[in-house]
Amino acid sequence: MRGKRAKAYRKLMHQYHVNFNFREPYQVLLDSAILQDAARYKIDLIGRLAKMLDGEVKPMITTCDMRHLYGAEPKDERLILQAKGYERRRCNHQDLDEPLSSLECLSDVVDPKSSLTNKHRYVVASQDPRVRAHMRKIAGVPLIYISKSVVILEPMGTATEKLREREEKAKFKAGLKGRRSANVPNVGQKRKRDEDDDTTHDQGGGSIAEQSTGNARPRKIRKGPKAPNPLSMKKAKKAPQDEPKKARRTEDEASHIPPADSEPSNPGGEPAKRKRKRKHKPKADGGGTEAQTEGDAASP
C-alpha cells in the first residue's frame, strides 16, 4: 500500500512540475496546527515531506503562525525552538496587536492579489479544513495534512484540474499547427524556388546575384537517363600483332629472292655469261678407262 501511495505522489508531483513549473527545493508553508499534531504523534514532519514530495524541502512559517505557537496553552518550548529553525515568511502582519488566523494569513501570502494563482509556487501544509477548502480554489497549490498519524498529499483540486486540461489542449493544438505548417509547403516559397532554378548559374552552382550576397544555394540535381556502367560493358578484342608482322616478313623475303631460271642482272648493262654445267662421264670397267684417257691425252 505504501509503494502504491508513493508512486501516486510522484506522479502527482510530476504533473505540478510539468504544468506549474514546480522545482526543488519545494517551499512548504506550515501552519501552527500541523506542527502541534506532528509533535503529538511524534512524526518527523520534514523527513516525511521530503519522501512524499520526492525532493528537497524548504519548510517555512509565517509570523502570525509563530505568534500562535507562543500563545498556545500549554506552551511547548521545544516546538517553538524547532519552528525557529524554519525560514520565516514575512506576511506584513507583525505590526498588528493580534495575529491573523491561519486562513487569512496564508491566503494573503499565497495569493496576495486575489488572482487565484500560486505565483511563488508554495506547498501548503495545514490542519485547518477551511484553509484547504480555500486553497482548492487557487490553481496549482499542493495541499498536505495529517490524518491519524499519516501524512497525506491531496489530489488536484477542481480549479487545478481545469487549468491543467486547458494548458494541455493548448499545447496539443500548437503541436498540430506546427506539424501542418511543416508538412504543407508555402506556395509562394515554392514559386520563388522554381524561379531561382530557372536563373543562370555559374560553375559554383548558384546564381550571380546569390553569390554576390553570399547566400548561394546548392545547385539542384536533375534526374535523367543514366549511362551504362563501364565495368559491365564488354571490351572489344584486339587482333594479335605478331601474326601480320610474320606474314609481311615472308612476303618481303619472297619478293627479294630471284627465281632459279632467271638470269642475274648486270649493272654494266651487258648480258651476263651463262654458266656451263659440267657433265660427268660414266665410269667404265677395267682398262678401258685408262686407254680412253691416254687417247684423249694424245689427241691434239
Side-chain angles (χ1 to χ4, degrees), residues 224-240:
K226 297 181 180 179
N229 189 358
L231 299 176
S232 64
M233 296 176 63
K234 189 175 181 181
K235 296 182 180 180
K237 293 184 179 180
K238 295 182 179 180

PDB file of all heavy atoms in Angstrom, residues 224-240:
ATOM      1  N   GLY A 224      17.792  12.008 -64.831  1.00  0.00           N
ATOM      2  CA  GLY A 224      17.616  11.685 -66.229  1.00  0.00           C
ATOM      3  C   GLY A 224      18.167  10.304 -66.524  1.00  0.00           C
ATOM      4  O   GLY A 224      18.558   9.559 -65.628  1.00  0.00           O
ATOM      5  N   PRO A 225      18.193   9.935 -67.811  1.00  0.00           N
ATOM      6  CA  PRO A 225      18.739   8.599 -68.151  1.00  0.00           C
ATOM      7  C   PRO A 225      20.221   8.528 -67.820  1.00  0.00           C
ATOM      8  O   PRO A 225      20.991   9.454 -68.081  1.00  0.00           O
ATOM      9  CB  PRO A 225      18.495   8.492 -69.668  1.00  0.00           C
ATOM     10  CG  PRO A 225      18.347   9.903 -70.117  1.00  0.00           C
ATOM     11  CD  PRO A 225      17.724  10.657 -68.987  1.00  0.00           C
ATOM     12  N   LYS A 226      20.603   7.453 -67.266  1.00  0.00           N
ATOM     13  CA  LYS A 226      21.982   7.269 -66.836  1.00  0.00           C
ATOM     14  C   LYS A 226      22.771   6.472 -67.870  1.00  0.00           C
ATOM     15  O   LYS A 226      22.217   5.655 -68.603  1.00  0.00           O
ATOM     16  CB  LYS A 226      22.026   6.544 -65.490  1.00  0.00           C
ATOM     17  CG  LYS A 226      21.380   7.329 -64.370  1.00  0.00           C
ATOM     18  CD  LYS A 226      21.489   6.557 -63.076  1.00  0.00           C
ATOM     19  CE  LYS A 226      20.847   7.329 -61.932  1.00  0.00           C
ATOM     20  NZ  LYS A 226      20.922   6.579 -60.654  1.00  0.00           N
ATOM     21  N   ALA A 227      24.051   6.731 -67.956  1.00  0.00           N
ATOM     22  CA  ALA A 227      24.937   5.988 -68.857  1.00  0.00           C
ATOM     23  C   ALA A 227      25.188   4.594 -68.300  1.00  0.00           C
ATOM     24  O   ALA A 227      25.095   4.378 -67.091  1.00  0.00           O
ATOM     25  CB  ALA A 227      26.258   6.734 -69.024  1.00  0.00           C
ATOM     26  N   PRO A 228      25.470   3.645 -69.195  1.00  0.00           N
ATOM     27  CA  PRO A 228      25.721   2.277 -68.688  1.00  0.00           C
ATOM     28  C   PRO A 228      26.987   2.232 -67.854  1.00  0.00           C
ATOM     29  O   PRO A 228      27.898   3.043 -68.001  1.00  0.00           O
ATOM     30  CB  PRO A 228      25.853   1.452 -69.964  1.00  0.00           C
ATOM     31  CG  PRO A 228      26.237   2.431 -71.010  1.00  0.00           C
ATOM     32  CD  PRO A 228      25.566   3.720 -70.652  1.00  0.00           C
ATOM     33  N   ASN A 229      27.024   1.265 -67.012  1.00  0.00           N
ATOM     34  CA  ASN A 229      28.183   1.079 -66.155  1.00  0.00           C
ATOM     35  C   ASN A 229      29.379   0.626 -66.996  1.00  0.00           C
ATOM     36  O   ASN A 229      29.307  -0.398 -67.683  1.00  0.00           O
ATOM     37  CB  ASN A 229      27.865   0.032 -65.090  1.00  0.00           C
ATOM     38  CG  ASN A 229      28.948  -0.054 -64.052  1.00  0.00           C
ATOM     39  OD1 ASN A 229      29.957   0.632 -64.133  1.00  0.00           O
ATOM     40  ND2 ASN A 229      28.737  -0.921 -63.066  1.00  0.00           N
ATOM     41  N   PRO A 230      30.473   1.377 -67.002  1.00  0.00           N
ATOM     42  CA  PRO A 230      31.612   0.967 -67.862  1.00  0.00           C
ATOM     43  C   PRO A 230      32.223  -0.362 -67.444  1.00  0.00           C
ATOM     44  O   PRO A 230      32.828  -1.039 -68.267  1.00  0.00           O
ATOM     45  CB  PRO A 230      32.611   2.123 -67.680  1.00  0.00           C
ATOM     46  CG  PRO A 230      32.219   2.764 -66.389  1.00  0.00           C
ATOM     47  CD  PRO A 230      30.733   2.597 -66.273  1.00  0.00           C
ATOM     48  N   LEU A 231      32.067  -0.726 -66.186  1.00  0.00           N
ATOM     49  CA  LEU A 231      32.640  -2.006 -65.749  1.00  0.00           C
ATOM     50  C   LEU A 231      31.856  -3.205 -66.284  1.00  0.00           C
ATOM     51  O   LEU A 231      32.383  -4.308 -66.372  1.00  0.00           O
ATOM     52  CB  LEU A 231      32.676  -2.052 -64.222  1.00  0.00           C
ATOM     53  CG  LEU A 231      33.535  -0.973 -63.550  1.00  0.00           C
ATOM     54  CD1 LEU A 231      33.400  -1.080 -62.044  1.00  0.00           C
ATOM     55  CD2 LEU A 231      34.983  -1.115 -63.969  1.00  0.00           C
ATOM     56  N   SER A 232      30.559  -2.968 -66.571  1.00  0.00           N
ATOM     57  CA  SER A 232      29.737  -4.073 -67.071  1.00  0.00           C
ATOM     58  C   SER A 232      29.786  -4.222 -68.589  1.00  0.00           C
ATOM     59  O   SER A 232      29.229  -5.169 -69.124  1.00  0.00           O
ATOM     60  CB  SER A 232      28.290  -3.857 -66.622  1.00  0.00           C
ATOM     61  OG  SER A 232      27.754  -2.682 -67.212  1.00  0.00           O
ATOM     62  N   MET A 233      30.388  -3.271 -69.285  1.00  0.00           N
ATOM     63  CA  MET A 233      30.452  -3.335 -70.747  1.00  0.00           C
ATOM     64  C   MET A 233      31.584  -4.272 -71.188  1.00  0.00           C
ATOM     65  O   MET A 233      32.663  -4.284 -70.591  1.00  0.00           O
ATOM     66  CB  MET A 233      30.672  -1.942 -71.330  1.00  0.00           C
ATOM     67  CG  MET A 233      29.514  -0.978 -71.062  1.00  0.00           C
ATOM     68  SD  MET A 233      29.860   0.661 -71.668  1.00  0.00           S
ATOM     69  CE  MET A 233      29.988   0.339 -73.408  1.00  0.00           C
ATOM     70  N   LYS A 234      31.358  -5.051 -72.273  1.00  0.00           N
ATOM     71  CA  LYS A 234      32.339  -5.994 -72.794  1.00  0.00           C
ATOM     72  C   LYS A 234      33.276  -5.270 -73.747  1.00  0.00           C
ATOM     73  O   LYS A 234      32.830  -4.608 -74.695  1.00  0.00           O
ATOM     74  CB  LYS A 234      31.628  -7.132 -73.522  1.00  0.00           C
ATOM     75  CG  LYS A 234      32.559  -8.263 -73.905  1.00  0.00           C
ATOM     76  CD  LYS A 234      31.773  -9.414 -74.513  1.00  0.00           C
ATOM     77  CE  LYS A 234      32.698 -10.557 -74.861  1.00  0.00           C
ATOM     78  NZ  LYS A 234      31.957 -11.693 -75.470  1.00  0.00           N
ATOM     79  N   LYS A 235      34.565  -5.369 -73.482  1.00  0.00           N
ATOM     80  CA  LYS A 235      35.537  -4.683 -74.311  1.00  0.00           C
ATOM     81  C   LYS A 235      35.823  -5.477 -75.589  1.00  0.00           C
ATOM     82  O   LYS A 235      35.807  -6.697 -75.593  1.00  0.00           O
ATOM     83  CB  LYS A 235      36.844  -4.494 -73.528  1.00  0.00           C
ATOM     84  CG  LYS A 235      36.667  -3.599 -72.308  1.00  0.00           C
ATOM     85  CD  LYS A 235      38.001  -3.423 -71.602  1.00  0.00           C
ATOM     86  CE  LYS A 235      37.815  -2.538 -70.380  1.00  0.00           C
ATOM     87  NZ  LYS A 235      39.108  -2.356 -69.664  1.00  0.00           N
ATOM     88  N   ALA A 236      36.097  -4.738 -76.683  1.00  0.00           N
ATOM     89  CA  ALA A 236      36.390  -5.385 -77.976  1.00  0.00           C
ATOM     90  C   ALA A 236      37.783  -6.013 -77.944  1.00  0.00           C
ATOM     91  O   ALA A 236      38.730  -5.414 -77.428  1.00  0.00           O
ATOM     92  CB  ALA A 236      36.315  -4.360 -79.094  1.00  0.00           C
ATOM     93  N   LYS A 237      37.880  -7.211 -78.516  1.00  0.00           N
ATOM     94  CA  LYS A 237      39.161  -7.919 -78.541  1.00  0.00           C
ATOM     95  C   LYS A 237      40.011  -7.417 -79.697  1.00  0.00           C
ATOM     96  O   LYS A 237      39.535  -7.289 -80.827  1.00  0.00           O
ATOM     97  CB  LYS A 237      38.932  -9.419 -78.692  1.00  0.00           C
ATOM     98  CG  LYS A 237      38.266 -10.041 -77.483  1.00  0.00           C
ATOM     99  CD  LYS A 237      38.152 -11.540 -77.659  1.00  0.00           C
ATOM    100  CE  LYS A 237      37.516 -12.181 -76.430  1.00  0.00           C
ATOM    101  NZ  LYS A 237      37.385 -13.643 -76.574  1.00  0.00           N
ATOM    102  N   LYS A 238      41.286  -7.134 -79.457  1.00  0.00           N
ATOM    103  CA  LYS A 238      42.199  -6.664 -80.483  1.00  0.00           C
ATOM    104  C   LYS A 238      42.935  -7.863 -81.117  1.00  0.00           C
ATOM    105  O   LYS A 238      43.279  -8.814 -80.431  1.00  0.00           O
ATOM    106  CB  LYS A 238      43.227  -5.709 -79.883  1.00  0.00           C
ATOM    107  CG  LYS A 238      42.586  -4.428 -79.366  1.00  0.00           C
ATOM    108  CD  LYS A 238      43.650  -3.483 -78.815  1.00  0.00           C
ATOM    109  CE  LYS A 238      43.020  -2.208 -78.316  1.00  0.00           C
ATOM    110  NZ  LYS A 238      44.044  -1.263 -77.777  1.00  0.00           N
ATOM    111  N   ALA A 239      43.163  -7.783 -82.463  1.00  0.00           N
ATOM    112  CA  ALA A 239      43.865  -8.855 -83.173  1.00  0.00           C
ATOM    113  C   ALA A 239      45.318  -8.896 -82.739  1.00  0.00           C
ATOM    114  O   ALA A 239      45.941  -7.856 -82.517  1.00  0.00           O
ATOM    115  CB  ALA A 239      43.794  -8.628 -84.683  1.00  0.00           C
ATOM    116  N   PRO A 240      45.901 -10.088 -82.615  1.00  0.00           N
ATOM    117  CA  PRO A 240      47.319 -10.172 -82.209  1.00  0.00           C
ATOM    118  C   PRO A 240      48.218  -9.572 -83.262  1.00  0.00           C
ATOM    119  O   PRO A 240      48.019  -9.761 -84.466  1.00  0.00           O
ATOM    120  CB  PRO A 240      47.560 -11.674 -82.066  1.00  0.00           C
ATOM    121  CG  PRO A 240      46.463 -12.319 -82.814  1.00  0.00           C
ATOM    122  CD  PRO A 240      45.282 -11.405 -82.762  1.00  0.00           C
TER     123      PRO A 240
END
